[in-house]
Amino acid sequence: MTRKKIVAGNWKMNLDYQSGIKLAKKVRAAASSASDKLVIMAPPAIHLKSVADLLSDSKYLYCAAQNCHSEDSGAYTGELSVPMLKSIKVDYVILGHSERRAYFAESSEMLKAKVDQVLAHGLKPIFCCGESLAIRQSGMQNDYVANQIAQSLFHLSAKEFGKVVIAYEPIWAIGTGETASPEQAQNMHASLRKLIASKYSKAVAENCSILYGGSVKPQNASALFSQPDVDGGLVGGASLKAEDFCKIADAM
Ligand code: PGA
């Protein structure tokens, strides 16, 4: 099994420029350097170039954007294109975060186009999926998340799919302080890995990093990350404090 362990920090729309750079510098200074683990920071757009520069000499620290447009350029006021991200050496792009799906009406179809665009330019998508509380209570969560993955990712070749990182983020656990139990996370991750194996192959499934996101904290990170199919985390709130974020990265 060669899949990478990854902890990614999603800063969302937080921190002014100065505070963001301070945080990135602290994480860079504190993060451990095991080469089979990756630590990714996803700051807002204004920090991206500086954070990418700061991490450019590291083999295990990477920079991610929180979104991108599906076109190379054009009259799309307020948007960022993948060639722009590539030109400042951003490596990953978070796509399909539940906040983008809910507040910016991103559909599976739009996400499919964004996934293609990210891959076409040689960057890697961190593709988010996850169910609402109502879906969890109805017991349909595995089918729902499988559909999200199939609709936006299963047109990819096995080689392309191999570049995608998946982040399972149950919406009811995001920013709520309520975390999926290690068993709930493991159950979903194992079912996604099985789905990927049946679509592509066992080898592709075994190589795919599947992260858990939703109120990951220093206190619960080890229990979640010790599950066999949980390959790390996508961390929101706790990624804004260097100490907490590094503790979570160390829990991998
Ligand atoms: P949270 O956010 O860790 O604050 O719950 C996770 C995410 O939205 O990626």
Side-chain angles (χ1 to χ4, degrees):
M1 185 176 76
T2 56
R3 63 181 182 258
K4 294 256 186 240
K5 299 267 182 197
I6 301 173
V7 163
N10 174 12
W11 297 4
K12 308 191 179 185
M13 195 178 73
N14 291 298
L15 304 179
D16 63 22
Y17 181 75
Q18 289 75 12
S19 322
I21 299 311
K22 224 186 252 175
L23 171 60
K25 282 185 176 160
K26 277 193 194 160
V27 171
R28 190 182 74 157
S32 75
S33 60
S35 61
D36 57 337
K37 296 182 193 173
L38 303 184
V39 176
I40 299 175
M41 281 184 272
I46 60 148
H47 304 90
L48 275 174
K49 164 87 169 75
S50 302
V51 173
D53 285 349
L54 198 64
L55 307 182
S56 64
D57 59 350
S58 167
K59 293 214 164 12
Y60 57 92
L61 288 164
Y62 290 90
C63 185
Q66 298 175 12
N67 179 35
C68 68
H69 197 274
S70 56
E71 297 291 329
D72 277 356
S73 62
Y76 301 103
T77 302
E79 291 291 299
L80 283 178
S81 77
V82 179
M84 291 172 187
L85 297 173
K86 188 174 181 170
S87 74
I88 57 163
K89 300 196 164 46
V90 166
D91 305 289
Y92 290 83
V93 184
I94 296 176
L95 291 176
H97 191 280
S98 61
E99 288 149 20
R100 300 285 325 164
R101 293 179 193 256
Y103 308 143
F104 303 93
E106 292 198 356
S107 65
S108 290
E109 211 41 44
M110 284 162 75
L111 292 170
K112 184 178 171 186
K114 291 188 181 197
V115 166
D116 288 344
Q117 175 74 347
V118 167
L119 290 172
H121 289 281
L123 281 74
K124 298 186 185 89
I126 301 174
F127 183 82
C128 303
C129 53
E131 81 286 357
S132 66
L133 185 59
I135 293 168
R136 166 69 57 172
Q137 285 168 341
S138 75
M140 295 300 291
Q141 67 274 7
N142 289 36
D143 287 346
Y144 181 85
V145 175
N147 248 331
Q148 287 182 317
I149 302 245
Q151 285 171 358
S152 300
L153 298 177
F154 277 1
H155 63 291
L156 299 175
S157 69
K159 193 169 170 225
E160 289 166 333
F161 189 88
K163 306 214 158 57
V164 178
V165 174
I166 291 183
Y168 167 59
E169 299 204 304
I171 297 169
W172 47 272
I174 296 178
T176 58
E178 187 167 338
T179 318
S181 67
E183 294 71 30
Q184 285 172 320
Q186 169 57 23
N187 177 291
M188 178 64 79
H189 286 223
S191 117
L192 293 180
R193 207 176 298 287
K194 217 165 132 192
L195 174 78
I196 296 162
S198 68
K199 166 69 188 173
Y200 294 102
S201 68
K202 191 153 194 295
V204 170
E206 286 300 321
N207 278 328
C208 179
S209 299
I210 307 180
L211 317 184
Y212 166 79
S215 300
V216 176
K217 302 183 212 70
Q219 300 87 315
N220 59 26
S222 323
L224 287 160
F225 299 167
S226 63
Q227 298 299 312
D229 287 290
V230 178
D231 306 314
L234 180 54
V235 185
S239 73
L240 299 173
K241 285 200 193 123
E243 209 193 347
D244 285 359
F245 185 58
C246 292
K247 274 189 197 153
I248 292 169
D250 285 343
M252 271 193 301

PDB file of all heavy atoms in Angstrom, residues 10 12 97 99 169 173-176 213-216 234-238, ligand 1:
ATOM      1  N   ASN A  10      -7.933  23.741   6.058  1.00  0.00           N
ATOM      2  CA  ASN A  10      -8.784  24.612   5.254  1.00  0.00           C
ATOM      3  C   ASN A  10      -9.096  25.856   6.080  1.00  0.00           C
ATOM      4  O   ASN A  10      -9.910  25.812   6.998  1.00  0.00           O
ATOM      5  CB  ASN A  10     -10.067  23.840   4.892  1.00  0.00           C
ATOM      6  CG  ASN A  10     -11.080  24.697   4.175  1.00  0.00           C
ATOM      7  OD1 ASN A  10     -10.773  25.813   3.740  1.00  0.00           O
ATOM      8  ND2 ASN A  10     -12.300  24.180   4.040  1.00  0.00           N
ATOM      9  N   LYS A  12     -10.621  28.433   5.218  1.00  0.00           N
ATOM     10  CA  LYS A  12     -11.886  29.077   4.808  1.00  0.00           C
ATOM     11  C   LYS A  12     -11.674  30.595   4.667  1.00  0.00           C
ATOM     12  O   LYS A  12     -10.588  31.013   4.265  1.00  0.00           O
ATOM     13  CB  LYS A  12     -13.002  28.728   5.792  1.00  0.00           C
ATOM     14  CG  LYS A  12     -13.104  27.216   6.001  1.00  0.00           C
ATOM     15  CD  LYS A  12     -14.332  26.764   6.731  1.00  0.00           C
ATOM     16  CE  LYS A  12     -14.310  25.255   6.850  1.00  0.00           C
ATOM     17  NZ  LYS A  12     -15.517  24.705   7.437  1.00  0.00           N
ATOM     18  N   HIS A  97     -16.365  21.459  -1.647  1.00  0.00           N
ATOM     19  CA  HIS A  97     -16.629  21.592  -0.209  1.00  0.00           C
ATOM     20  C   HIS A  97     -18.128  21.846  -0.014  1.00  0.00           C
ATOM     21  O   HIS A  97     -18.752  22.539  -0.819  1.00  0.00           O
ATOM     22  CB  HIS A  97     -15.801  22.748   0.375  1.00  0.00           C
ATOM     23  CG  HIS A  97     -15.845  22.751   1.869  1.00  0.00           C
ATOM     24  ND1 HIS A  97     -16.905  23.254   2.565  1.00  0.00           N
ATOM     25  CD2 HIS A  97     -14.971  22.271   2.796  1.00  0.00           C
ATOM     26  CE1 HIS A  97     -16.685  23.086   3.865  1.00  0.00           C
ATOM     27  NE2 HIS A  97     -15.515  22.492   4.028  1.00  0.00           N
ATOM     28  N   GLU A  99     -19.661  23.805   1.782  1.00  0.00           N
ATOM     29  CA  GLU A  99     -20.024  25.229   1.813  1.00  0.00           C
ATOM     30  C   GLU A  99     -20.122  25.790   0.389  1.00  0.00           C
ATOM     31  O   GLU A  99     -20.972  26.634   0.103  1.00  0.00           O
ATOM     32  CB  GLU A  99     -19.005  26.005   2.666  1.00  0.00           C
ATOM     33  CG  GLU A  99     -19.195  25.688   4.151  1.00  0.00           C
ATOM     34  CD  GLU A  99     -17.924  25.739   4.986  1.00  0.00           C
ATOM     35  OE1 GLU A  99     -16.935  26.364   4.565  1.00  0.00           O
ATOM     36  OE2 GLU A  99     -17.935  25.129   6.074  1.00  0.00           O
ATOM     37  N   GLU A 169     -16.559  14.460   4.347  1.00  0.00           N
ATOM     38  CA  GLU A 169     -16.901  15.441   5.379  1.00  0.00           C
ATOM     39  C   GLU A 169     -18.407  15.454   5.611  1.00  0.00           C
ATOM     40  O   GLU A 169     -19.145  16.157   4.891  1.00  0.00           O
ATOM     41  CB  GLU A 169     -16.469  16.840   4.932  1.00  0.00           C
ATOM     42  CG  GLU A 169     -14.986  16.981   4.697  1.00  0.00           C
ATOM     43  CD  GLU A 169     -14.542  18.426   4.847  1.00  0.00           C
ATOM     44  OE1 GLU A 169     -15.091  19.302   4.157  1.00  0.00           O
ATOM     45  OE2 GLU A 169     -13.674  18.675   5.683  1.00  0.00           O
ATOM     46  N   ALA A 173     -21.084  17.369  10.827  1.00  0.00           N
ATOM     47  CA  ALA A 173     -19.904  17.418  11.696  1.00  0.00           C
ATOM     48  C   ALA A 173     -19.018  18.621  11.412  1.00  0.00           C
ATOM     49  O   ALA A 173     -18.048  18.870  12.116  1.00  0.00           O
ATOM     50  CB  ALA A 173     -19.089  16.131  11.535  1.00  0.00           C
ATOM     51  N   ILE A 174     -19.349  19.394  10.364  1.00  0.00           N
ATOM     52  CA  ILE A 174     -18.479  20.516   9.986  1.00  0.00           C
ATOM     53  C   ILE A 174     -18.773  21.737  10.844  1.00  0.00           C
ATOM     54  O   ILE A 174     -19.883  22.264  10.821  1.00  0.00           O
ATOM     55  CB  ILE A 174     -18.632  20.873   8.490  1.00  0.00           C
ATOM     56  CG1 ILE A 174     -18.153  19.699   7.633  1.00  0.00           C
ATOM     57  CG2 ILE A 174     -17.849  22.133   8.145  1.00  0.00           C
ATOM     58  CD1 ILE A 174     -18.314  19.927   6.145  1.00  0.00           C
ATOM     59  N   GLY A 175     -17.767  22.147  11.603  1.00  0.00           N
ATOM     60  CA  GLY A 175     -17.880  23.370  12.404  1.00  0.00           C
ATOM     61  C   GLY A 175     -18.886  23.260  13.534  1.00  0.00           C
ATOM     62  O   GLY A 175     -19.236  24.265  14.155  1.00  0.00           O
ATOM     63  N   THR A 176     -19.362  22.058  13.819  1.00  0.00           N
ATOM     64  CA  THR A 176     -20.411  21.897  14.833  1.00  0.00           C
ATOM     65  C   THR A 176     -19.853  21.403  16.157  1.00  0.00           C
ATOM     66  O   THR A 176     -20.548  21.398  17.159  1.00  0.00           O
ATOM     67  CB  THR A 176     -21.444  20.848  14.370  1.00  0.00           C
ATOM     68  OG1 THR A 176     -20.748  19.606  14.134  1.00  0.00           O
ATOM     69  CG2 THR A 176     -22.144  21.285  13.109  1.00  0.00           C
ATOM     70  N   GLY A 213     -13.072  14.716   7.373  1.00  0.00           N
ATOM     71  CA  GLY A 213     -13.176  16.102   7.827  1.00  0.00           C
ATOM     72  C   GLY A 213     -14.472  16.330   8.577  1.00  0.00           C
ATOM     73  O   GLY A 213     -15.501  15.723   8.264  1.00  0.00           O
ATOM     74  N   GLY A 214     -14.424  17.214   9.555  1.00  0.00           N
ATOM     75  CA  GLY A 214     -15.605  17.526  10.369  1.00  0.00           C
ATOM     76  C   GLY A 214     -15.213  17.518  11.829  1.00  0.00           C
ATOM     77  O   GLY A 214     -15.159  16.470  12.458  1.00  0.00           O
ATOM     78  N   SER A 215     -14.878  18.731  12.330  1.00  0.00           N
ATOM     79  CA  SER A 215     -14.516  18.901  13.745  1.00  0.00           C
ATOM     80  C   SER A 215     -13.357  18.007  14.192  1.00  0.00           C
ATOM     81  O   SER A 215     -13.365  17.471  15.302  1.00  0.00           O
ATOM     82  CB  SER A 215     -15.733  18.707  14.648  1.00  0.00           C
ATOM     83  OG  SER A 215     -16.736  19.662  14.337  1.00  0.00           O
ATOM     84  N   VAL A 216     -12.361  17.843  13.312  1.00  0.00           N
ATOM     85  CA  VAL A 216     -11.135  17.150  13.734  1.00  0.00           C
ATOM     86  C   VAL A 216     -10.372  18.073  14.677  1.00  0.00           C
ATOM     87  O   VAL A 216     -10.218  19.270  14.398  1.00  0.00           O
ATOM     88  CB  VAL A 216     -10.236  16.780  12.528  1.00  0.00           C
ATOM     89  CG1 VAL A 216      -8.937  16.146  12.998  1.00  0.00           C
ATOM     90  CG2 VAL A 216     -10.972  15.846  11.573  1.00  0.00           C
ATOM     91  N   LEU A 234      -9.087  16.542   6.767  1.00  0.00           N
ATOM     92  CA  LEU A 234      -9.252  17.910   6.273  1.00  0.00           C
ATOM     93  C   LEU A 234      -9.804  18.703   7.459  1.00  0.00           C
ATOM     94  O   LEU A 234     -10.877  18.400   7.975  1.00  0.00           O
ATOM     95  CB  LEU A 234     -10.217  17.947   5.079  1.00  0.00           C
ATOM     96  CG  LEU A 234     -10.493  19.318   4.452  1.00  0.00           C
ATOM     97  CD1 LEU A 234      -9.213  20.034   4.047  1.00  0.00           C
ATOM     98  CD2 LEU A 234     -11.389  19.176   3.218  1.00  0.00           C
ATOM     99  N   VAL A 235      -9.023  19.696   7.880  1.00  0.00           N
ATOM    100  CA  VAL A 235      -9.268  20.344   9.163  1.00  0.00           C
ATOM    101  C   VAL A 235      -9.642  21.801   8.940  1.00  0.00           C
ATOM    102  O   VAL A 235      -8.897  22.528   8.279  1.00  0.00           O
ATOM    103  CB  VAL A 235      -7.974  20.278  10.019  1.00  0.00           C
ATOM    104  CG1 VAL A 235      -8.230  20.833  11.410  1.00  0.00           C
ATOM    105  CG2 VAL A 235      -7.442  18.851  10.093  1.00  0.00           C
ATOM    106  N   GLY A 236     -10.764  22.230   9.480  1.00  0.00           N
ATOM    107  CA  GLY A 236     -11.174  23.627   9.353  1.00  0.00           C
ATOM    108  C   GLY A 236     -10.714  24.431  10.553  1.00  0.00           C
ATOM    109  O   GLY A 236      -9.561  24.865  10.639  1.00  0.00           O
ATOM    110  N   GLY A 237     -11.606  24.598  11.527  1.00  0.00           N
ATOM    111  CA  GLY A 237     -11.349  25.447  12.695  1.00  0.00           C
ATOM    112  C   GLY A 237      -9.998  25.228  13.353  1.00  0.00           C
ATOM    113  O   GLY A 237      -9.268  26.190  13.637  1.00  0.00           O
ATOM    114  N   ALA A 238      -9.636  23.975  13.561  1.00  0.00           N
ATOM    115  CA  ALA A 238      -8.387  23.683  14.282  1.00  0.00           C
ATOM    116  C   ALA A 238      -7.142  23.941  13.435  1.00  0.00           C
ATOM    117  O   ALA A 238      -6.023  23.888  13.960  1.00  0.00           O
ATOM    118  CB  ALA A 238      -8.401  22.238  14.790  1.00  0.00           C
TER     119      ALA A 238
HETATM  120  P1  PGA B   1     -14.146  21.967  10.787  1.00  0.00           P
HETATM  121  O1  PGA B   1     -14.242  22.135   9.193  1.00  0.00           O
HETATM  122  O2  PGA B   1     -12.875  21.209  11.082  1.00  0.00           O
HETATM  123  O3  PGA B   1     -14.137  23.341  11.336  1.00  0.00           O
HETATM  124  O4  PGA B   1     -15.362  21.168  11.191  1.00  0.00           O
HETATM  125  C1  PGA B   1     -13.831  21.112   8.342  1.00  0.00           C
HETATM  126  C2  PGA B   1     -14.019  21.529   6.911  1.00  0.00           C
HETATM  127  O5  PGA B   1     -15.021  22.189   6.613  1.00  0.00           O
HETATM  128  O6  PGA B   1     -13.184  21.227   6.056  1.00  0.00           O
END
